[in-house]
Amino acid sequence: MEVRVENGGSYEVGKSGWGKSLPVPSIQEIVINHGVKEQILEKIKAAVAAFFELPFQEKKKYAKAENETEGYGQNFVVSEHQKLDWSDMIYLLTLPSQNRNFKFWPLFTREASEEYSREMQKIAEELQANFSVLMGLKRDGLKRLQGGELKQGIRKNYYPICSRPDLVLGCSPHSDGTSFTLLLQDDDVPGLQIKHNEAWVPVKPIPNSLVVNIGDATEIQSNGMYKSIEHRAIINEKKPRISIATFLFPDDEQEIGPVETMIDDQNHPKLYRNIKHVDYVREMFSRKMEGKAHSTQFMKLHDK
Ligand SMILES: O=C(O)CCC(=O)C(=O)O
Ligand SMILES: [Fe+2]
């Protein structure tokens, strides 16, 4: 099976837009004509590669504090007996810009990260407007519910080579606890896989494309119509791999729950409870990444 590719339409709403290209229930989208200059994508990839190639001592200067998510180092580590992902990563909160914590931003990556963050936000706004329309709201519907812009965080992943790739995973199975995620993959080295009909399906990299992964908040807000996508990353024996995940998510204080337009008592009863986004995230980070059922299941009103 090939993951569906929609040439661009995507965020030119109403033309070949999301209404058409997102099957219901959606699995995943790949956006090609996103309008971001190749040069900006190349620049961020080069900056990320340069960062991860630094000696450990240098990278450690950006280390995250225990119990914090921002900075260099692994998240979702809940026990010292846990098998860790075969990866290196740095996570930064990028928007709103007043929340930027520059002590975690390596100076030589700053310009590339700022530029990239700005471009991703333009796409995110357009996607959010499209999701609003798909959920029966006006274009600004989700943004209003949201009380403003989506927040943005960027996680840069580096997967070193491993002589026994069959024994490790780069990124354990999970769905993102976001509204949605824009993923820039390495052009040459495959690694991303999505779960579809109980099988792992590779998502072949298409140069300069962005993969849109639906996150848990959208699943909940759409009352289960647009399901978050379970995914993982595998390791390559010969080449290291880079990926850059831009997470778009609601404000901490925002309550997320199925939007009114997606509920109808007869055919589409409310399936998920409401929760403050910050509580959702707290719950998510207290667990290991163990697949998707783990993430949205606890939000279901009825256990099925
Ligand atoms: O490296 C990948 O392709 C996936 C990364 C990912 O899922 C994440 O950072 O949330
Ligand atoms: Fe992910």
Side-chain angles (χ1 to χ4, degrees), residues 135 221-225 258-272 302 304:
M135 290 187 208
Q221 287 183 310
S222 71
N223 200 26
M225 182 73 91
V259 299
E260 290 294 324
T261 41
M262 297 303 281
I263 303 173
D264 107 47
D265 286 338
Q266 276 187 338
N267 301 317
H268 299 285
K270 182 171 168 174
L271 294 180
Y272 303 79
H302 310 285
K304 47 170 196 173

Side-chain angles (χ1 to χ4, degrees), residues 155 171 174-176 181 213 231 245 247:
R155 183 165 120 170
C171 189
H174 66 285
S175 58
D176 296 338
T181 303
N213 280 330
H231 55 285
F247 300 127

Side-chain angles (χ1 to χ4, degrees), residues 284-298:
M284 189 178 82
F285 275 103
S286 67
R287 300 155 186 257
K288 288 191 286 182
M289 293 203 283
E290 284 184 324
K292 171 184 152 57
H294 225 65
S295 61
T296 40
Q297 198 58 31
F298 80 97

Side-chain angles (χ1 to χ4, degrees), residues 46-106:
V48 171
F51 172 73
F52 286 114
E53 281 157 17
L54 289 174
F56 178 63
Q57 289 307 327
E58 285 298 307
K59 288 185 281 198
K60 235 176 53 181
K61 293 182 183 157
Y62 308 95
K64 70 184 194 74
E66 205 176 337
N67 300 326
E68 292 292 333
T69 54
E70 219 179 350
Y72 171 69
Q74 293 237 6
N75 285 322
F76 299 97
V77 180
V78 294
S79 126
E80 56 185 82
H81 305 294
Q82 185 184 333
K83 183 165 156 184
L84 294 182
D85 286 343
W86 193 265
S87 74
D88 221 7
M89 64 145 110
I90 183 166
Y91 177 65
L92 302 174
L93 273 173
T94 43
L95 287 174
S97 46
Q98 66 270 23
N99 289 11
R100 289 182 181 173
N101 208 340
F102 283 116
K103 72 174 184 204
F104 293 120
W105 294 52

Side-chain angles (χ1 to χ4, degrees), residues 56-226:
F56 178 63
Q57 289 307 327
E58 285 298 307
K59 288 185 281 198
K60 235 176 53 181
K61 293 182 183 157
Y62 308 95
K64 70 184 194 74
E66 205 176 337
N67 300 326
E68 292 292 333
T69 54
E70 219 179 350
Y72 171 69
Q74 293 237 6
N75 285 322
F76 299 97
V77 180
V78 294
S79 126
E80 56 185 82
H81 305 294
Q82 185 184 333
K83 183 165 156 184
L84 294 182
D85 286 343
W86 193 265
S87 74
D88 221 7
M89 64 145 110
I90 183 166
Y91 177 65
L92 302 174
L93 273 173
T94 43
L95 287 174
S97 46
Q98 66 270 23
N99 289 11
R100 289 182 181 173
N101 208 340
F102 283 116
K103 72 174 184 204
F104 293 120
W105 294 52
L107 196 56
F108 68 96
T109 65
R110 199 171 288 185
E111 191 184 292
S113 294
E114 279 175 340
E115 234 169 45
Y116 187 72
S117 156
R118 207 176 311 125
E119 294 299 322
M120 291 305 103
Q121 201 63 7
K122 284 189 217 157
I123 298 179
E125 279 170 27
E126 206 48 54
L127 287 180
Q128 190 188 34
N130 292 332
F131 282 127
S132 301
V133 174
L134 286 173
M135 290 187 208
L137 301 166
K138 296 212 170 96
R139 269 179 68 80
D140 64 355
L142 286 171
K143 185 167 170 177
R144 274 168 181 268
L145 276 176
Q146 190 65 40
E149 302 291 336
L150 285 169
K151 291 176 124 181
Q152 186 199 72
I154 302 188
R155 183 165 120 170
K156 291 134 178 174
N157 300 301
Y158 179 83
Y159 305 103
I161 54 169
C162 176
S163 58
R164 288 296 305 273
D166 53 320
L167 294 181
V168 292
L169 277 175
C171 189
S172 298
H174 66 285
S175 58
D176 296 338
T178 55
S179 295
F180 50 91
T181 303
L182 298 169
L183 185 79
L184 181 64
Q185 291 205 73
D186 202 303
D187 288 345
D188 309 316
V189 192
L192 175 66
Q193 299 187 328
I194 60 167
K195 187 87 157 279
H196 185 62
N197 293 340
E198 295 308 305
W200 287 109
V201 180
V203 181
K204 219 167 70 192
I206 296 175
N208 301 322
S209 68
L210 290 163
V211 175
V212 182
N213 280 330
I214 307 288
D216 299 339
T218 295
E219 174 170 334
I220 294 164
Q221 287 183 310
S222 71
N223 200 26
M225 182 73 91
Y226 300 109

